[in-house]
Amino acid sequence: MIAILDYGSGNLRSAQRAFETTGAEVVLTSDRRTALEADGLVVPGVGAFRSCMNGLLAIGGDEIIRERFAKERPTLGICIGMQVLFSHGLEHSVDDVPSTDGVGVWDGTVSKLNAPILPHMGWNTVVAPKDSALFKGIESESFYFVHSYAAKEAVGQRVSWTEHGERFVSAVEDGAMSATQFHPEKSGSVGLTLIRNWTGTL
Amino acid sequence: MSLSIRIIPCLDVTDGRVVKGVNFTNLVDAGDPVEMAALYERESADELTFLDISASSSDRETTLDIVRKTADQVFIPLTVGGGIRSVADVNQLLRAGADKISINTAAIARPELISEIADAFGSQVLVLSVDARRAKTESGFEVTTHGGRNGTGIDALGWIERACNLGVGEILLNSMDADGTRQGYDIEMIEAVRPITRVPLIASGGAGDLEDFARALDAGADALLAASVFHFGVHRIEEVKRYLSQAGYSIREVSNQ
């Protein structure tokens, strides 16, 4: 069973349907036990880094994610759901509030992309390492992005890269923890392939 | 390796049916929006837009149902516009499976709606739809409502700057002068808007020849919306993309896995 963590508003229906195309049972949940015990947990993300963290904290999502990471339980962060896995986010930071703490699975800061047009919105190429499990068979395809902030330093075991104004981390695979800055559930057939690659490891 | 330009077919929907000139021969039912959305996804559309032109609010549930059915089987981004007046309307559409919503008249009537939506869901869900035409305003372009029938006297460039400050994530620039003419996108208008905003710019209205798409990109558009040229089969999306690719633009190729 795959659980999609429901901790705010936004479009979770597409994510649910996309993961259901693998044949898996998929539930939307904010329940701690369901999220901890699921074979795979998907952490979606909507809005900004801080509002996303606030939503996660409200349901104890940060602890759920850290516990799954410690127990090597498969977890997949998507978009802001990837960004909050880092230790710091600079979105909406001002002088008196320098940054927002993330879940802290990885040490690193999520900062604004240096690009002429933002948000980075649309289909862009992801270059994945050859030994990637997530991108098996789709190592240099385009996926759908919507974001203005990103991590720019490598973390974890395998990192995929994309360019928009500058190079940034578009996916991380680190043991049982995976994350994509793009939306696989909105990336057509290649996105569904990535989802099948992930559920195939559960 | 770079961000691809986007080709976005737009479907006008009312009472659960696609209206305004749809003439597909390879569909069982040319008026079914879900079927058309799936077809356009297969034809390599990069996003889809539904414009709900229903006159009455009682059709709202029908629209939500179409959005649900589309999101259930189409896995590319879906924008829904038309009649959105509140944060609650936006939440309903996002929950049904829309990825972005576009607002127009309601934002002109009450600009704070822009920041309310951006605060609740993030700027990335919010497309400002601007129906503009030539008029005697400061920039020479005026915002209209009701499909270009009603002028507002509001300067289009000033309005776009203000809306961007309030938090829109994207601009859909629809030329009322070019709309439906197939004489080309309004290049002057795109060139006027491009320097005043850093958010992505979608050009709309007037697409006819293949060259029109390239000209709009050269003028500064990041994405190209079109309706009738695709609905009537004047051009296939793949044909437009092949042309743009050969002309040196970055496009997304769809591999059929």
Side-chain angles (χ1 to χ4, degrees):
Chain A
M1 187 264 285
I2 295 167
I4 297 175
L5 203 56
D6 185 356
Y7 61 95
S9 47
N11 176 6
L12 297 181
R13 187 182 182 90
S14 297
Q16 181 171 14
R17 296 298 302 205
F19 283 84
E20 280 173 354
T21 62
T22 65
E25 183 196 348
V26 183
V27 297
L28 300 179
T29 188
S30 52
D31 176 66
R32 176 184 164 81
R33 173 174 277 192
T34 310
L36 279 173
E37 291 178 357
D39 300 310
L41 178 71
V42 178
V43 183
V46 290
F49 193 101
R50 184 171 301 157
S51 60
C52 198
M53 265 316 286
N54 288 342
L56 264 185
L57 293 169
I59 63 157
D62 55 326
E63 287 173 16
I64 294 169
I65 293 165
R66 279 193 293 266
E67 191 170 330
R68 286 187 67 97
F69 184 61
K71 290 179 175 170
E72 298 181 16
R73 302 282 290 150
T75 306
L76 174 65
I78 294 174
C79 196
I80 314 293
M82 165 177 172
Q83 295 183 3
V84 294
L85 299 177
F86 287 81
S87 52
H88 297 94
L90 294 184
E91 192 165 2
H92 294 168
S93 61
V94 286
D95 290 343
D96 55 331
V97 187
S99 74
T100 305
D101 286 345
V103 174
V105 167
W106 299 308
D107 269 333
T109 300
V110 176
S111 59
K112 198 166 195 174
L113 282 171
N114 183 17
I117 303 291
L118 288 177
H120 173 222
M121 188 178 287
W123 300 78
N124 203 337
T125 315
V126 174
V127 178
K130 286 201 165 46
D131 59 350
S132 165
L134 215 49
F135 292 90
K136 190 172 164 30
I138 45 171
E139 288 88 353
S140 52
E141 291 282 354
S142 287
F143 295 84
Y144 190 83
F145 290 84
V146 187
H147 64 118
S148 297
Y149 289 73
K152 295 158 193 178
E153 306 287 336
V155 294
Q157 292 156 338
R158 292 185 197 83
V159 172
S160 300
W161 300 95
T162 295
E163 289 226 25
H164 182 63
E166 61 182 321
R167 193 178 79 148
F168 66 91
V169 177
S170 47
V172 178
E173 293 163 77
D174 188 20
M177 186 67 65
S178 307
T180 65
Q181 179 60 71
F182 55 85
H183 287 270
E185 79 282 14
K186 284 286 145 192
S187 296
S189 61
V190 292
L192 296 179
T193 300
L194 183 140
I195 288 170
R196 273 197 305 278
N197 284 345
W198 182 70
T199 58
T201 67
L202 304 181
Chain B
M1 180 175 126
S2 61
L3 182 63
S4 298
I5 61 95
R6 286 172 283 155
I7 303 289
I8 308 171
C10 177
L11 301 171
D12 286 356
V13 178
T14 186
D15 298 331
R17 305 286 294 172
V18 175
V19 292
K20 190 171 129 182
V22 174
N23 185 22
F24 268 14
T25 51
N26 49 347
L27 286 180
V28 177
D29 174 3
D32 179 50
V34 183
E35 195 183 354
M36 285 195 65
L39 182 91
Y40 279 131
E41 181 187 26
R42 288 197 296 278
E43 293 200 331
S44 86
D46 298 306
E47 287 183 20
L48 291 166
T49 292
F50 282 165
L51 189 57
D52 179 5
I53 55 170
S54 303
S56 75
S57 56
S58 62
D59 297 328
R60 203 73 192 162
E61 192 47 48
T62 313
T63 302
L64 287 170
D65 193 46
I66 290 165
V67 172
R68 280 186 209 107
K69 285 179 177 149
T70 305
D72 284 354
Q73 53 176 288
V74 173
F75 296 106
I76 58 173
L78 173 64
T79 302
V80 181
I84 295 162
R85 312 217 164 272
S86 66
V87 167
D89 290 344
V90 176
N91 190 40
Q92 244 185 349
L93 283 163
L94 296 179
R95 283 272 163 185
D99 299 291
K100 300 188 252 186
I101 60 94
S102 74
I103 55 170
N104 179 355
T105 310
I108 294 166
R110 205 171 65 80
E112 309 81 59
L113 180 60
I114 293 170
S115 45
E116 288 169 16
I117 295 169
D119 287 346
F121 309 104
S123 293
Q124 79 288 340
V125 306
L126 183 53
V127 183
L128 181 74
S129 179
V130 182
D131 291 346
R133 68 180 179 192
R134 281 170 174 68
K136 287 177 181 156
T137 61
E138 193 184 338
S139 71
F141 298 104
E142 173 198 33
V143 177
T144 69
T145 59
H146 301 85
R149 289 194 301 277
N150 298 357
T152 60
I154 298 169
D155 183 65
L157 267 61
W159 169 234
I160 288 169
E161 278 187 312
R162 185 174 176 202
C164 286
N165 288 334
L166 287 168
V168 300
E170 206 171 10
I171 304 286
L172 170 58
L173 184 64
N174 192 19
S175 168
M176 289 296 110
D177 297 319
D179 190 40
T181 65
R182 292 197 200 156
Q183 296 297 305
Y185 290 99
D186 192 331
I187 299 302
E188 284 178 17
M189 191 188 284
I190 299 167
E191 286 177 341
V193 172
R194 179 68 286 173
I196 65 162
T197 176
R198 286 186 65 189
V199 303
L201 182 60
I202 307 167
S204 166
D209 296 337
L210 290 173
E211 292 81 2
D212 295 338
F213 293 93
R215 288 191 194 105
L217 296 172
D218 291 341
D222 302 289
L224 303 163
L225 184 136
S228 64
V229 290
F230 295 139
H231 300 333
F232 282 101
V234 176
H235 300 297
R236 299 278 295 270
I237 294 172
E238 286 155 327
E239 181 191 358
V240 175
K241 284 189 163 184
R242 202 175 312 118
Y243 171 84
L244 292 173
S245 177
Q246 283 165 0
Y249 301 93
S250 175
I251 58 115
R252 174 182 71 115
E253 305 214 30
V254 174
S255 52
N256 292 308
Q257 314 216 5

Short mmCIF file of all heavy atoms in Angstrom, two decimals, chain A residues 35-84:
data_model
loop_
_atom_site.label_atom_id
_atom_site.label_comp_id
_atom_site.label_asym_id
_atom_site.label_seq_id
_atom_site.Cartn_x
_atom_site.Cartn_y
_atom_site.Cartn_z
N ALA A 35 0.79 6.37 7.69
CA ALA A 35 1.93 6.92 6.96
C ALA A 35 3.22 6.18 7.33
O ALA A 35 4.09 5.99 6.48
CB ALA A 35 2.08 8.41 7.25
N LEU A 36 3.33 5.76 8.58
CA LEU A 36 4.54 5.05 9.01
C LEU A 36 4.59 3.63 8.47
O LEU A 36 5.65 3.11 8.13
CB LEU A 36 4.61 5.00 10.54
CG LEU A 36 5.14 6.26 11.24
CD1 LEU A 36 5.00 6.12 12.75
CD2 LEU A 36 6.60 6.51 10.86
N GLU A 37 3.42 3.00 8.37
CA GLU A 37 3.39 1.58 8.02
C GLU A 37 3.26 1.30 6.53
O GLU A 37 3.46 0.17 6.09
CB GLU A 37 2.25 0.89 8.78
CG GLU A 37 2.54 0.82 10.28
CD GLU A 37 1.41 0.18 11.07
OE1 GLU A 37 0.37 -0.16 10.47
OE2 GLU A 37 1.59 0.04 12.30
N ALA A 38 2.95 2.35 5.74
CA ALA A 38 2.77 2.14 4.29
C ALA A 38 4.06 1.58 3.69
O ALA A 38 5.16 1.89 4.14
CB ALA A 38 2.41 3.46 3.63
N ASP A 39 3.91 0.76 2.63
CA ASP A 39 5.10 0.24 1.94
C ASP A 39 5.91 1.39 1.34
O ASP A 39 7.13 1.36 1.33
CB ASP A 39 4.67 -0.72 0.82
CG ASP A 39 3.89 -1.90 1.37
OD1 ASP A 39 4.38 -2.52 2.33
OD2 ASP A 39 2.79 -2.19 0.86
N GLY A 40 5.18 2.36 0.82
CA GLY A 40 5.83 3.56 0.29
C GLY A 40 5.07 4.79 0.73
O GLY A 40 3.83 4.77 0.76
N LEU A 41 5.80 5.85 1.07
CA LEU A 41 5.15 7.11 1.45
C LEU A 41 5.54 8.19 0.44
O LEU A 41 6.72 8.38 0.15
CB LEU A 41 5.57 7.56 2.85
CG LEU A 41 4.97 8.90 3.31
CD1 LEU A 41 3.48 8.77 3.60
CD2 LEU A 41 5.71 9.45 4.55
N VAL A 42 4.52 8.88 -0.08
CA VAL A 42 4.77 9.99 -0.99
C VAL A 42 4.51 11.30 -0.24
O VAL A 42 3.47 11.46 0.38
CB VAL A 42 3.85 9.90 -2.24
CG1 VAL A 42 4.08 11.10 -3.16
CG2 VAL A 42 4.09 8.59 -2.98
N VAL A 43 5.50 12.19 -0.28
CA VAL A 43 5.34 13.50 0.35
C VAL A 43 5.19 14.54 -0.76
O VAL A 43 6.17 14.93 -1.39
CB VAL A 43 6.56 13.85 1.23
CG1 VAL A 43 6.35 15.18 1.93
CG2 VAL A 43 6.84 12.74 2.23
N PRO A 44 3.94 14.95 -1.06
CA PRO A 44 3.75 15.97 -2.10
C PRO A 44 4.05 17.34 -1.48
O PRO A 44 4.41 17.42 -0.30
CB PRO A 44 2.27 15.83 -2.44
CG PRO A 44 1.63 15.32 -1.19
CD PRO A 44 2.68 14.57 -0.43
N GLY A 45 3.93 18.37 -2.26
CA GLY A 45 4.19 19.70 -1.69
C GLY A 45 3.49 20.77 -2.48
O GLY A 45 3.51 20.75 -3.70
N VAL A 46 2.84 21.66 -1.77
CA VAL A 46 2.18 22.78 -2.44
C VAL A 46 2.59 24.08 -1.78
O VAL A 46 2.93 24.10 -0.60
CB VAL A 46 0.63 22.66 -2.41
CG1 VAL A 46 0.17 21.53 -3.30
CG2 VAL A 46 0.14 22.46 -0.99
N GLY A 47 2.55 25.15 -2.54
CA GLY A 47 2.79 26.48 -1.99
C GLY A 47 4.26 26.73 -1.73
O GLY A 47 5.12 26.28 -2.46
N ALA A 48 4.53 27.44 -0.66
CA ALA A 48 5.88 27.87 -0.35
C ALA A 48 6.50 26.97 0.72
O ALA A 48 5.81 26.24 1.42
CB ALA A 48 5.87 29.32 0.13
N PHE A 49 7.85 27.06 0.85
CA PHE A 49 8.60 26.22 1.79
C PHE A 49 8.02 26.33 3.21
O PHE A 49 7.76 25.32 3.86
CB PHE A 49 10.07 26.67 1.79
CG PHE A 49 11.02 25.72 2.48
CD1 PHE A 49 11.81 24.86 1.74
CD2 PHE A 49 11.14 25.72 3.86
CE1 PHE A 49 12.70 23.98 2.37
CE2 PHE A 49 12.03 24.86 4.50
CZ PHE A 49 12.80 23.99 3.75
N ARG A 50 7.80 27.57 3.65
CA ARG A 50 7.38 27.74 5.05
C ARG A 50 5.97 27.21 5.30
O ARG A 50 5.72 26.50 6.28
CB ARG A 50 7.46 29.21 5.46
CG ARG A 50 7.13 29.41 6.95
CD ARG A 50 7.41 30.82 7.39
NE ARG A 50 8.81 31.15 7.17
CZ ARG A 50 9.27 32.40 7.03
NH1 ARG A 50 8.44 33.42 7.07
NH2 ARG A 50 10.55 32.62 6.84
N SER A 51 5.05 27.52 4.37
CA SER A 51 3.67 27.04 4.58
C SER A 51 3.63 25.52 4.49
O SER A 51 2.86 24.86 5.20
CB SER A 51 2.72 27.68 3.56
OG SER A 51 3.11 27.36 2.25
N CYS A 52 4.48 24.98 3.63
CA CYS A 52 4.56 23.52 3.50
C CYS A 52 5.08 22.90 4.81
O CYS A 52 4.52 21.91 5.31
CB CYS A 52 5.50 23.22 2.34
SG CYS A 52 5.37 21.58 1.69
N MET A 53 6.13 23.50 5.38
CA MET A 53 6.66 22.99 6.66
C MET A 53 5.63 23.11 7.77
O MET A 53 5.46 22.20 8.59
CB MET A 53 7.93 23.78 7.06
CG MET A 53 9.24 23.15 6.64
SD MET A 53 9.39 21.36 6.90
CE MET A 53 9.59 21.26 8.67
N ASN A 54 4.92 24.25 7.79
CA ASN A 54 3.89 24.43 8.82
C ASN A 54 2.83 23.34 8.72
O ASN A 54 2.38 22.79 9.73
CB ASN A 54 3.24 25.81 8.70
CG ASN A 54 4.19 26.91 9.17
OD1 ASN A 54 5.17 26.64 9.87
ND2 ASN A 54 3.92 28.13 8.74
N GLY A 55 2.44 23.03 7.47
CA GLY A 55 1.46 21.97 7.26
C GLY A 55 1.98 20.62 7.73
O GLY A 55 1.26 19.84 8.38
N LEU A 56 3.23 20.34 7.43
CA LEU A 56 3.85 19.08 7.85
C LEU A 56 3.92 18.98 9.38
O LEU A 56 3.56 17.96 9.97
CB LEU A 56 5.29 18.98 7.31
CG LEU A 56 5.56 18.24 6.01
CD1 LEU A 56 7.05 18.20 5.76
CD2 LEU A 56 4.98 16.83 6.04
N LEU A 57 4.38 20.08 10.00
CA LEU A 57 4.53 20.08 11.46
C LEU A 57 3.19 19.85 12.15
O LEU A 57 3.11 19.17 13.17
CB LEU A 57 5.14 21.40 11.94
CG LEU A 57 6.60 21.66 11.51
CD1 LEU A 57 7.00 23.10 11.79
CD2 LEU A 57 7.55 20.69 12.19
N ALA A 58 2.13 20.40 11.55
CA ALA A 58 0.79 20.30 12.16
C ALA A 58 0.32 18.85 12.28
O ALA A 58 -0.48 18.53 13.18
CB ALA A 58 -0.21 21.13 11.36
N ILE A 59 0.80 17.98 11.40
CA ILE A 59 0.37 16.58 11.49
C ILE A 59 1.53 15.68 11.94
O ILE A 59 1.44 14.45 11.85
CB ILE A 59 -0.22 16.05 10.15
CG1 ILE A 59 0.85 16.06 9.04
CG2 ILE A 59 -1.43 16.86 9.71
CD1 ILE A 59 0.55 15.10 7.91
N GLY A 60 2.64 16.29 12.37
CA GLY A 60 3.80 15.49 12.80
C GLY A 60 4.50 14.83 11.63
O GLY A 60 5.21 13.83 11.80
N GLY A 61 4.35 15.41 10.45
CA GLY A 61 4.91 14.83 9.24
C GLY A 61 6.42 14.78 9.24
O GLY A 61 7.03 13.87 8.67
N ASP A 62 7.04 15.79 9.91
CA ASP A 62 8.51 15.82 9.97
C ASP A 62 9.04 14.58 10.70
O ASP A 62 10.01 13.95 10.27
CB ASP A 62 8.99 17.11 10.63
CG ASP A 62 8.37 17.33 12.00
OD1 ASP A 62 7.19 16.94 12.21
OD2 ASP A 62 9.06 17.87 12.89
N GLU A 63 8.37 14.23 11.79
CA GLU A 63 8.80 13.04 12.56
C GLU A 63 8.57 11.76 11.76
O GLU A 63 9.38 10.84 11.79
CB GLU A 63 8.04 12.96 13.89
CG GLU A 63 8.52 14.01 14.89
CD GLU A 63 7.65 14.03 16.14
OE1 GLU A 63 6.89 13.05 16.35
OE2 GLU A 63 7.71 15.03 16.87
N ILE A 64 7.43 11.72 11.06
CA ILE A 64 7.12 10.53 10.25
C ILE A 64 8.22 10.31 9.21
O ILE A 64 8.73 9.20 9.04
CB ILE A 64 5.74 10.69 9.54
CG1 ILE A 64 4.61 10.72 10.57
CG2 ILE A 64 5.52 9.59 8.51
CD1 ILE A 64 3.25 11.15 10.02
N ILE A 65 8.62 11.40 8.55
CA ILE A 65 9.63 11.29 7.50
C ILE A 65 10.98 10.87 8.09
O ILE A 65 11.65 9.97 7.58
CB ILE A 65 9.76 12.63 6.73
CG1 ILE A 65 8.48 12.91 5.95
CG2 ILE A 65 10.97 12.61 5.79
CD1 ILE A 65 8.35 14.33 5.44
N ARG A 66 11.37 11.49 9.21
CA ARG A 66 12.66 11.14 9.83
C ARG A 66 12.67 9.69 10.30
O ARG A 66 13.67 8.99 10.16
CB ARG A 66 12.98 12.10 10.98
CG ARG A 66 13.57 13.44 10.50
CD ARG A 66 14.17 14.23 11.65
NE ARG A 66 13.15 14.68 12.59
CZ ARG A 66 12.56 15.88 12.53
NH1 ARG A 66 12.90 16.74 11.60
NH2 ARG A 66 11.64 16.21 13.40
N GLU A 67 11.52 9.25 10.83
CA GLU A 67 11.45 7.87 11.31
C GLU A 67 11.56 6.87 10.15
O GLU A 67 12.26 5.87 10.24
CB GLU A 67 10.15 7.65 12.09
CG GLU A 67 10.13 6.33 12.85
CD GLU A 67 8.95 6.22 13.82
OE1 GLU A 67 8.51 7.26 14.33
OE2 GLU A 67 8.50 5.08 14.03
N ARG A 68 10.87 7.18 9.06
CA ARG A 68 10.94 6.30 7.88
C ARG A 68 12.37 6.28 7.33
O ARG A 68 12.86 5.24 6.90
CB ARG A 68 9.95 6.73 6.80
CG ARG A 68 8.49 6.40 7.14
CD ARG A 68 7.55 6.70 5.97
NE ARG A 68 7.77 5.82 4.84
CZ ARG A 68 7.08 4.71 4.57
NH1 ARG A 68 6.07 4.35 5.36
NH2 ARG A 68 7.36 3.97 3.52
N PHE A 69 13.03 7.44 7.33
CA PHE A 69 14.41 7.51 6.83
C PHE A 69 15.32 6.64 7.69
O PHE A 69 16.12 5.86 7.18
CB PHE A 69 14.88 8.98 6.84
CG PHE A 69 16.25 9.17 6.25
CD1 PHE A 69 16.53 8.83 4.93
CD2 PHE A 69 17.29 9.69 7.03
CE1 PHE A 69 17.81 9.00 4.39
CE2 PHE A 69 18.56 9.87 6.50
CZ PHE A 69 18.81 9.53 5.17
N ALA A 70 15.16 6.76 9.01
CA ALA A 70 16.00 5.99 9.94
C ALA A 70 15.77 4.49 9.78
O ALA A 70 16.70 3.69 9.89
CB ALA A 70 15.71 6.43 11.37
N LYS A 71 14.52 4.11 9.51
CA LYS A 71 14.19 2.69 9.38
C LYS A 71 14.33 2.19 7.94
O LYS A 71 13.92 1.06 7.63
CB LYS A 71 12.76 2.44 9.87
CG LYS A 71 12.64 2.59 11.39
CD LYS A 71 11.20 2.37 11.82
CE LYS A 71 11.11 2.40 13.35
NZ LYS A 71 9.71 2.42 13.81
N GLU A 72 14.85 3.05 7.06
CA GLU A 72 15.03 2.71 5.65
C GLU A 72 13.74 2.23 4.99
O GLU A 72 13.70 1.23 4.28
CB GLU A 72 16.17 1.69 5.49
CG GLU A 72 17.49 2.24 5.96
CD GLU A 72 18.65 1.27 5.81
OE1 GLU A 72 18.51 0.29 5.06
OE2 GLU A 72 19.68 1.51 6.46
N ARG A 73 12.68 3.00 5.26
CA ARG A 73 11.39 2.73 4.62
C ARG A 73 11.25 3.65 3.40
O ARG A 73 11.46 4.86 3.51
CB ARG A 73 10.24 3.03 5.60
CG ARG A 73 10.33 2.23 6.89
CD ARG A 73 9.86 0.80 6.72
NE ARG A 73 8.41 0.72 6.50
CZ ARG A 73 7.82 -0.24 5.78
NH1 ARG A 73 8.55 -1.17 5.20
NH2 ARG A 73 6.51 -0.26 5.66
N PRO A 74 10.87 3.11 2.22
CA PRO A 74 10.83 3.92 1.00
C PRO A 74 9.93 5.15 1.11
O PRO A 74 8.75 5.05 1.50
CB PRO A 74 10.30 2.94 -0.05
CG PRO A 74 10.72 1.60 0.45
CD PRO A 74 10.60 1.70 1.96
N THR A 75 10.49 6.30 0.77
CA THR A 75 9.78 7.57 0.86
C THR A 75 10.18 8.40 -0.36
O THR A 75 11.34 8.40 -0.75
CB THR A 75 10.17 8.30 2.16
OG1 THR A 75 9.94 7.43 3.27
CG2 THR A 75 9.38 9.58 2.35
N LEU A 76 9.18 9.07 -0.94
CA LEU A 76 9.43 9.87 -2.15
C LEU A 76 8.87 11.28 -1.96
O LEU A 76 7.66 11.46 -1.80
CB LEU A 76 8.76 9.21 -3.37
CG LEU A 76 8.79 9.96 -4.71
CD1 LEU A 76 10.21 10.13 -5.24
CD2 LEU A 76 7.91 9.24 -5.74
N GLY A 77 9.74 12.27 -1.97
CA GLY A 77 9.30 13.68 -1.88
C GLY A 77 9.15 14.26 -3.27
O GLY A 77 9.98 14.00 -4.14
N ILE A 78 8.09 15.03 -3.48
CA ILE A 78 7.84 15.64 -4.79
C ILE A 78 7.75 17.16 -4.65
O ILE A 78 7.00 17.68 -3.83
CB ILE A 78 6.54 15.09 -5.41
CG1 ILE A 78 6.69 13.60 -5.72
CG2 ILE A 78 6.19 15.85 -6.68
CD1 ILE A 78 5.41 12.94 -6.22
N CYS A 79 8.51 17.87 -5.48
CA CYS A 79 8.50 19.35 -5.56
C CYS A 79 8.84 19.96 -4.21
O CYS A 79 9.92 19.73 -3.70
CB CYS A 79 7.19 19.85 -6.14
SG CYS A 79 7.31 21.57 -6.69
N ILE A 80 7.94 20.74 -3.60
CA ILE A 80 8.25 21.31 -2.28
C ILE A 80 8.41 20.17 -1.27
O ILE A 80 9.12 20.30 -0.28
CB ILE A 80 7.14 22.29 -1.80
CG1 ILE A 80 6.73 23.26 -2.91
CG2 ILE A 80 7.62 23.08 -0.59
CD1 ILE A 80 7.77 24.24 -3.35
N GLY A 81 7.76 19.03 -1.56
CA GLY A 81 7.94 17.84 -0.73
C GLY A 81 9.36 17.29 -0.79
O GLY A 81 9.79 16.56 0.10
N MET A 82 10.11 17.64 -1.82
CA MET A 82 11.56 17.36 -1.87
C MET A 82 12.31 18.45 -1.10
O MET A 82 13.20 18.16 -0.30
CB MET A 82 12.05 17.34 -3.32
CG MET A 82 13.57 17.43 -3.45
SD MET A 82 14.10 17.32 -5.18
CE MET A 82 15.85 17.70 -5.01
N GLN A 83 11.94 19.70 -1.36
CA GLN A 83 12.69 20.82 -0.76
C GLN A 83 12.72 20.75 0.77
O GLN A 83 13.74 21.02 1.39
CB GLN A 83 12.11 22.16 -1.22
CG GLN A 83 12.26 22.39 -2.72
CD GLN A 83 11.75 23.74 -3.16
OE1 GLN A 83 11.33 24.56 -2.34
NE2 GLN A 83 11.79 24.00 -4.47
N VAL A 84 11.57 20.38 1.37
CA VAL A 84 11.51 20.37 2.83
C VAL A 84 12.34 19.24 3.45
O VAL A 84 12.54 19.22 4.67
CB VAL A 84 10.05 20.28 3.37
CG1 VAL A 84 9.28 21.54 3.02
CG2 VAL A 84 9.34 19.03 2.85
#
